[in-house]
Amino acid sequence: MKLEEAIGKKLAWLRNDREMSQAQLGEALGRYLEKPWSRQAVNAAEQGKRAFTARDMVALALALETTVPSLLLNFELPADGVELRSGVQVSREEYRKLAFHPADITGKSSTDLVEGIATLRDHYQHIRDWNDVLTRQIAQGETLLSLAEQGAVLQKRAQERENAEPVAEERDDG
C-alpha cells in the first residue's frame, strides 16, 4: 500500500466518523489553506492519488479536529507496511513507530498504545453496534405504542357506539 493510500483511507474514515461530506471537508480546509479543496480533490486524497504537504496535513488535522499523528495511524495497514514514493518499503511496525512515538510523552511503548487504541476502536464499534440495535428496538417500541394507541381509540369508539345504540332503541319504543 502506498503511503498516500494509507493516509487517504484514514482521512475517509475520519470524515465519515464526523459525518462530513467530501464537499464539507473541502470547505473546512479552505479556512486553513489559501482556498478550499473541491469535492474531487478530497476524493482524490481519500483514494491515495494526491501527495500531502506539511501544510495540507496540519489543515486536515484542524478541519477533522484531530492530530497530525492520528492522520498517519491507519489500523488497516497491510503486513508489508507502506511504500514510499522512492519505492522503499517501510514495515507496518516501523511505520507506526515513526507516525506515533508515545514513549516521549507516556513512557509506554508504541506497541502498547497501538494495542490500546485498537482495543478502544473495537469497543467503539461495539457501542455503535449496540446503538443500532437500540435504535431499531426504540423504533419497534414506537410502532407498538402507536398500534396500542390506535387500538385504544378504536375500542373507545366501539364503546361509544354500544352506549349510543340503546339510546336510539329507547326512542323507537317511546
Side-chain angles (χ1 to χ4, degrees), residues 61-146:
L62 289 167
L64 292 166
E65 298 177 349
T66 191
T67 64
V68 173
S70 171
L71 296 174
L72 298 172
L73 283 175
N74 185 320
F75 296 101
E76 299 174 10
L77 285 177
D80 59 348
V82 297
E83 181 183 333
L84 303 180
R85 284 184 169 236
S86 63
V88 172
Q89 197 70 23
V90 178
S91 75
R92 181 186 341 192
E93 190 58 34
E94 284 180 304
Y95 179 76
R96 286 186 172 157
K97 284 179 183 176
L98 290 170
F100 189 62
H101 198 305
D104 296 339
I105 301 167
T106 64
K108 294 191 178 206
S109 72
S110 297
T111 304
D112 292 340
L113 286 179
V114 167
E115 288 172 3
I117 291 169
T119 300
L120 286 173
R121 182 174 175 235
D122 290 342
H123 290 314
Y124 178 71
Q125 186 58 48
H126 289 300
I127 290 169
R128 288 183 80 154
D129 292 345
W130 272 107
N131 182 50
D132 292 345
V133 168
L134 292 173
T135 300
R136 283 193 300 274
Q137 288 180 345
I138 288 170
Q140 289 172 351
E142 289 172 350
T143 301
L144 290 173
L145 181 61
S146 176

Side-chain angles (χ1 to χ4, degrees), residues 11 22-23 25-27 29-30 33 35-42 45 50-52 56 60:
L11 288 177
Q22 290 178 334
L25 176 56
E27 285 298 316
L29 287 169
L33 300 171
K35 62 181 184 169
W37 284 11
S38 67
R39 184 200 59 75
Q40 293 84 354
V42 172
R50 180 186 179 116
F52 301 98
D56 292 339
L60 286 162

Side-chain angles (χ1 to χ4, degrees), residues 150-163:
Q150 291 173 12
V153 168
L154 292 174
Q155 186 176 18
K156 183 178 178 183
R157 287 181 186 163
Q159 286 175 346
E160 288 172 352
R161 273 191 236 121
E162 284 178 18
N163 293 339

Side-chain angles (χ1 to χ4, degrees), residues 10-24:
K10 185 63 180 273
L11 288 177
W13 186 87
L14 287 166
R15 180 184 56 75
N16 285 320
D17 185 63
R18 279 132 179 92
E19 299 180 355
M20 295 174 80
S21 68
Q22 290 178 334
Q24 288 170 323

